[in-house]
Amino acid sequence: MDGLTEAKLRALAGARSFDRGLGYLDAVTGVEVGDAWVTATVHGTQRYKVELALDEPGGLVSECDCPYGLEGNFCKHLVALGLTLLARRESLPRQRRAAQNRAQDLDAWLSGLSGEELLALVRDQVAEDRQLRRRLELRAASARGDLAGVRARVRELLDIGPFAQYGYVEYADARAYSDQAGQAVSAITALTASGRADDAIALAREAMQLLAEAVESIDDSDGGLGQAGAALADAHHEACRAARPDPEELARWLVGHVLGDADDLTDIDPLDYEDVLGDRGMTVLRELAVGAWRRNRTGWAEKYLMERLAKAGGAVDTLVAVHAADLAPDGRTHLVIARELDLAGRPGQALEWAERGIRDARDLAAVDIALVDHLSDRYTRVGRLPDAVALRRHHFGARRTLLTYRQLRAAALAADCWQDERERALALLRADAEQRQEGWGSGPVLIDALLDEKDVDAAWRAATETGADEQQWLTLADQARGHRPADALGIYLRLAEPLTRQTGNTAYEQLVSLLLSIRDCHRRRGTLDEFTTYITALRTAQRRKRNLMRLMDQHGL
């Protein structure tokens, strides 16, 4: 309990979740204190179960079954429980000692019961608790070697029927179904532990198919079914390591599984089975994967399997062939190939593939920007600076943006040819600005480029001739007010005027920022009396906006 502090809760949750947790203090009910844990229910969008384990060696351990908590986050519901415990700090040690005494008393009582009395107690609990009954039925069937009984119970647990209305399991019932699926996985794991790994393999595969069919009819927003699928994959892998099935049969099943629909839920990686498959099984696995890929070279699952096998075996040429069979028109696949060849120590071929990606692109404006960056970087590394400039020039010609202008400038400066490139680039941007239609949302890129270079006078002329958007005018005024305060003042006054008709803190903050700039312009011009007259009139007209008045007061306006 010493590690539980308000500062610790804030650090674990983050400021946003912590602040939200403050609003849930009245929603915490059913607080139960154990020796080393505390549980409760927090009423939010639904009722969520929360638990804090205290005094753990690794720090505060927590669980909440809300969607955010299931992802491993310290959510607002846990914050609410933690703050509730802090409010009860004085009574908590006493409650924990009482819980420990109760646990010891219960253990002593159970230890003193006879076998018949314990059996009667268990039978009473089984009659009252359906979940306990199912778990014990599974254990009993497994213990007596009744595979048919275990299979029947597993199929019953994975049946969506009891949870589904009109054939679909809604979000409110999905967690209960996922819990049942977890029980089925536990039963399969128990088969392996009892020396029946062969049966566990068969049952795990059957359960995977059942889960794959069920997931289509379940709202698994919380990901509970995905967790059950991952646990089922682990159970299958564990059973295979124990039973050592026929390598060729296992290879065939693995390929069929990863290329089928069930793998979306279990996400099995065949390479995890390499120690079970051995050389013979891996050979069959590769042959089957190659055959499947050749039949469907553009299939995502087939490509991914081939890619995994090729990378694991260091087969770069195979990896290149897999990607080359389905090249994207924007060049991103060429980039993948180039990077793989670079990693393999084959820079010449890597460069050829990157260049081919640019050549093959039907539209340079749509080419993957990462490919352009990659090729430009490679040209620069090997001293081919003119080629880097030409690439950036062509890309800028196809995509005339501030980013591509900056990239062209960087390449040309490195090649000591920026002056000529700049004139050509600005000519293109000037032509775009002259053709720009009134009412477009963003201003000319020409203005952005000139402002980026701090060429204020040229930017001012261009804005006057071709127009600019409000953000560009504001930036222009900010850059110009040092030597053109009168011009900047006109812009600030024009931008401030519509804000005086708006309400809300965002508008007020923008207006005050402009007022500070207006005052600075008057100061530079030596006309602060004019500013005093302006601000007095403004305060009179805006006096009902209390938040604006408060903000102006804070800034001395």
Side-chain angles (χ1 to χ4, degrees), residues 270-283:
L271 291 178
D272 289 341
Y273 291 75
E274 188 170 3
D275 61 332
V276 182
L277 290 166
D279 292 340
R280 182 161 62 97
M282 287 299 297
T283 298

Side-chain angles (χ1 to χ4, degrees), residues 76-272:
K76 58 190 177 185
H77 310 111
L78 288 164
V79 170
L81 176 57
L83 292 173
T84 299
L85 296 181
L86 289 175
R88 304 179 183 181
R89 181 185 292 274
E90 293 184 0
S91 63
L92 199 59
R94 175 178 51 79
Q95 291 176 291
R96 293 178 67 180
R97 286 194 298 272
Q100 185 178 25
N101 291 336
R102 290 194 301 271
Q104 292 173 347
D105 291 343
L106 176 60
D107 185 73
W109 176 68
L110 289 172
S111 299
L113 294 177
S114 66
E116 291 184 359
E117 289 171 327
L118 282 172
L119 183 59
L121 180 62
V122 171
R123 285 171 174 163
D124 288 341
Q125 291 301 309
V126 167
E128 296 176 5
D129 188 336
R130 188 177 70 170
Q131 298 295 337
L132 176 61
R133 175 177 60 80
R134 284 180 169 174
R135 288 197 296 270
L136 293 179
E137 285 175 348
L138 276 170
R139 289 192 180 186
S142 178
R144 65 175 180 269
D146 180 9
L147 182 61
V150 175
R151 175 177 283 110
R153 297 288 77 74
V154 167
R155 295 184 68 88
E156 180 183 347
L157 289 169
L158 298 180
D159 179 18
I160 67 169
F163 300 91
Q165 290 186 349
Y166 311 110
Y168 190 80
V169 181
E170 301 291 344
Y171 173 81
D173 298 314
R175 180 62 186 273
Y177 177 82
S178 297
D179 288 343
Q180 283 199 182
Q183 295 175 31
V185 175
S186 297
I188 294 170
T189 302
L191 284 175
T192 299
S194 63
R196 302 179 58 200
D198 285 327
D199 292 337
I201 292 173
L203 197 51
R205 295 178 182 180
E206 184 177 345
M208 288 179 194
Q209 191 59 46
L210 291 172
L211 271 184
E213 295 169 0
V215 75
E216 300 297 327
S217 304
I218 298 175
D219 181 354
D220 190 37
S221 301
D222 287 350
L225 205 57
Q227 294 177 7
L232 186 55
D234 290 340
H236 179 266
H237 184 222
E238 182 182 346
C240 287
R241 296 189 69 179
R244 297 286 167 173
D246 177 70
E248 294 187 21
E249 186 279 330
L250 177 59
R252 286 191 291 272
W253 182 85
L254 285 169
V255 172
H257 179 80
V258 299
L259 299 183
D261 295 334
D263 192 49
D264 290 341
L265 190 65
T266 54
D267 197 23
I268 285 178
D269 185 348
L271 291 178
D272 289 341

Side-chain angles (χ1 to χ4, degrees), residues 486-522:
D487 291 331
L489 176 61
I491 295 175
Y492 291 135
L493 288 171
R494 179 172 59 80
L495 295 176
E497 197 277 330
L499 289 172
T500 63
R501 299 191 297 272
Q502 298 180 27
T503 58
N505 290 335
T506 300
Y508 299 156
E509 290 170 1
Q510 293 173 354
L511 178 56
V512 167
S513 177
L514 288 171
L515 292 175
L516 292 172
S517 297
I518 291 170
R519 182 174 65 183
D520 184 55
C521 288
H522 277 292

Side-chain angles (χ1 to χ4, degrees), residues 500 534-545 548-549:
T500 63
Y534 170 78
I535 206 70
T536 300
L538 180 67
R539 291 184 71 97
T540 300
Q542 305 290 321
R543 63 184 181 277
R544 295 184 181 276
K545 299 176 180 177
L548 174 59
M549 294 296 102

Side-chain angles (χ1 to χ4, degrees), residues 2 75 84 94 132 143 157 178 314 319 374 388 413 426 434 448 467 469 472 485 496:
D2 292 339
C75 64
T84 299
R94 175 178 51 79
L132 176 61
L157 289 169
S178 297
L319 192 58
H374 175 88
L413 285 172
L426 290 178
E434 291 171 353
D448 291 330
D469 63 28
Q472 288 176 330

